[in-house]
Amino acid sequence: MEQQRPVVMSFAGLDPSGGAGLLADIKTFEQHRVYGLGVCTALTIQTASDFISVDWLSLPRILAQAQPLLATETVRYCKIGIMADVQSLLELVRTIKCLSPGIRIILDPVLKASAGHAFHNSIPRQAWQELLPELYLITPNYQEATLLAGTDDGDVAAEQLSAHCAVLLKGGHHQARPGEDTLYTANGTQRFPPGQKQVYPKHGSGCVLSAAITANLALNRSLPDACANAKAYTENLLASHHSLTGYHHI
């Protein structure tokens, strides 16, 4: 009989195509042999190539889903994807930490969908300054990091953000080092170069990466090892098919 698996949680939007958001997170958790709990933050209408619309769930409805789960399960790590606004995100994070003291939160700060839809047209930096110290890790891409920090240089932005929490700067949009991720922590930086496989753009790859990091952390990997393993897992997804749809496997 298999030993009991670690339990993790995802707060994310429902993507009917299955490539991103909550469904992609649960697929990723299962492949890593951790048990995934899922809380829906938004209902989207989209395909792998087109984003059509989003209906945001209110914070009370989100918390109504999460509270019974956090009351009955031991969740040491959770990830958060899209939320309607930063103030709701901040309140959600603080409530999660009250309900599960010691929980570590990984935030994938999704500001724009893969298909181009912008979820947030302005960045309230004061609210972000309050939010960042509450987090364990954020996983922005180059553009997201510059927007959050208010600077044109993504590397400088990531270093500034890492004064508050660990930052994994994704390299998919990095002009100087394409495909190379960089982890910024209080102990310095660590780079993760791209692998040798032929990869193809995928809808939801950022969701998968942050979910894989969450799963690896729940399996007691160190943060650098979790990031390295998650990058390899995501590259397997990117190499699995030439279309925007990827297949999950370890």
Side-chain angles (χ1 to χ4, degrees), residues 185-199:
T185 69
N187 296 322
T189 62
Q190 185 168 344
R191 292 182 177 177
F192 304 95
Q196 301 301 312
K197 293 182 178 181
Q198 174 67 50
V199 297

Side-chain angles (χ1 to χ4, degrees), residues 217-239:
L217 290 169
L219 292 168
N220 294 319
R221 269 65 171 200
S222 67
L223 180 55
D225 285 348
C227 292
N229 292 347
K231 184 174 182 64
Y233 180 86
T234 306
E235 287 180 342
N236 283 340
L237 178 89
L238 296 175

Side-chain angles (χ1 to χ4, degrees), residues 11 41 56-57 59 62 80-86 88-89 92 110 119-120:
F11 293 80
T41 61
W56 299 105
L57 270 67
L59 182 60
I62 294 169
I80 302 177
I82 61 170
M83 285 286 295
D85 57 80
V86 179
S88 295
L89 175 57
L92 173 64
V110 184
F119 292 116
H120 303 290

Side-chain angles (χ1 to χ4, degrees), residues 17-227:
S17 79
L22 196 55
L23 296 180
D25 290 349
I26 297 300
K27 292 177 186 179
T28 303
F29 293 154
E30 189 67 20
Q31 286 293 323
H32 284 84
R33 304 184 74 80
V34 300
Y35 191 83
L37 306 173
V39 173
C40 186
T41 61
L43 300 173
T44 74
I45 301 175
Q46 61 180 305
T47 66
S49 59
D50 296 301
F51 193 97
I52 300 165
S53 67
V54 58
D55 290 321
W56 299 105
L57 270 67
S58 67
L59 182 60
R61 290 185 67 193
I62 294 169
L63 291 174
Q65 298 172 69
Q67 285 171 329
L69 298 173
L70 293 173
T72 55
E73 300 285 352
T74 300
V75 182
R76 294 188 299 121
Y77 292 93
C78 80
K79 69 149 283 187
I80 302 177
I82 61 170
M83 285 286 295
D85 57 80
V86 179
Q87 198 58 47
S88 295
L89 175 57
L90 177 60
E91 190 171 342
L92 173 64
V93 166
R94 287 174 171 167
T95 303
I96 292 170
K97 295 179 78 171
C98 286
L99 294 171
S100 294
I103 194 171
R104 287 177 165 177
I105 298 173
I106 293 86
L107 175 67
D108 181 16
V110 184
L111 305 182
K112 182 182 287 188
S114 303
H117 175 83
F119 292 116
H120 303 290
N121 294 318
S122 63
I123 305 297
R125 292 199 179 85
Q126 180 58 43
W128 276 99
Q129 290 298 313
E130 292 183 51
L131 173 65
L132 289 171
E134 304 279 359
L135 305 174
Y136 180 63
L137 172 72
I138 61 170
T139 60
N141 62 32
Y142 195 86
Q143 285 85 353
E144 289 165 344
T146 61
L147 289 171
L148 293 177
T151 177
D152 292 333
D153 189 311
D155 296 292
V156 172
E159 187 167 359
Q160 290 178 357
L161 295 170
S162 70
H164 307 285
C165 66
V167 178
L168 181 69
L169 180 65
K170 296 179 289 192
H173 298 85
H174 201 301
Q175 294 183 346
R177 300 189 304 275
E180 181 177 277
D181 299 347
T182 307
L183 177 64
Y184 294 79
T185 69
N187 296 322
T189 62
Q190 185 168 344
R191 292 182 177 177
F192 304 95
Q196 301 301 312
K197 293 182 178 181
Q198 174 67 50
V199 297
Y200 307 92
K202 286 287 176 288
H203 168 62
S205 57
C207 303
V208 171
L209 177 69
S210 55
I213 293 171
T214 305
N216 273 274
L217 290 169
L219 292 168
N220 294 319
R221 269 65 171 200
S222 67
L223 180 55
D225 285 348
C227 292

